[in-house]
Amino acid sequence: QVQLAESGGGSVQAGGSLTLSCVVSGGYFSRYAMGWFRQAPGKEREFVALISRSGGETDYGDSVKGRFTISRDNAKKTVSLQMTNLKPEDTAVYSCAARHTILTAPSSRASDDYSYWGRGTQVTVSS
């Protein structure tokens, strides 16, 4: 059984930084493309970032590009999201997700393409 557990959320002031981590247990981590998504109250889930199985490809949502960095450590079965210059509009529950995929598969921003999800961690940014 594949389980994902996020950590690192919290409350920060605008302009601050946080790093989220997601540890994956069960399954074969190196076979999963990983993604981060967020959902603010009253809003739909939003794509934040993704990283390919090898880590060689990354993609970011327009609202976080240049501020957030996704990375992975296959040996530690961990994916991280470094968030800098945080803004109040970044306030949301952040969830990591895993997508079992073959090496040549195109990346996907669609949450429906991800099979496994963590429970999420709250990030609150105050102005």
Side-chain angles (χ1 to χ4, degrees), residues 97-117:
R99 174 181 178 234
H100 189 273
T101 182
I102 60 175
L103 278 174
T104 55
S107 298
S108 174
R109 294 183 168 193
S111 60
D112 287 348
D113 287 340
Y114 291 78
S115 301
Y116 306 104
W117 290 81

Side-chain angles (χ1 to χ4, degrees), residues 14-26:
S17 301
L18 281 174
T19 297
L20 306 182
S21 294
C22 173
V23 178
V24 179
S25 60

Side-chain angles (χ1 to χ4, degrees), residues 23-99:
V23 178
V24 179
S25 60
Y28 297 93
F29 182 71
S30 61
R31 297 181 182 177
Y32 300 121
M34 300 298 297
W36 284 96
F37 295 80
R38 68 186 183 185
Q39 188 165 20
K43 295 188 177 181
E44 293 187 352
R45 181 181 287 165
E46 177 188 11
F47 165 75
V48 176
L50 66 83
I51 189 166
S52 62
R53 288 174 45 171
S54 67
E57 178 185 0
T58 58
D59 187 23
Y60 298 91
D62 290 343
S63 61
V64 307
K65 198 171 295 184
R67 299 187 297 121
F68 290 12
T69 302
I70 189 171
S71 61
R72 67 187 293 159
D73 185 332
N74 283 356
K76 295 182 179 180
K77 300 184 178 181
T78 300
V79 60
S80 298
L81 185 68
Q82 183 179 7
M83 307 184 293
T84 63
N85 190 22
L86 284 161
K87 304 175 181 181
E89 51 264 41
D90 293 319
T91 295
V93 174
Y94 285 71
S95 299
C96 66
R99 174 181 178 234

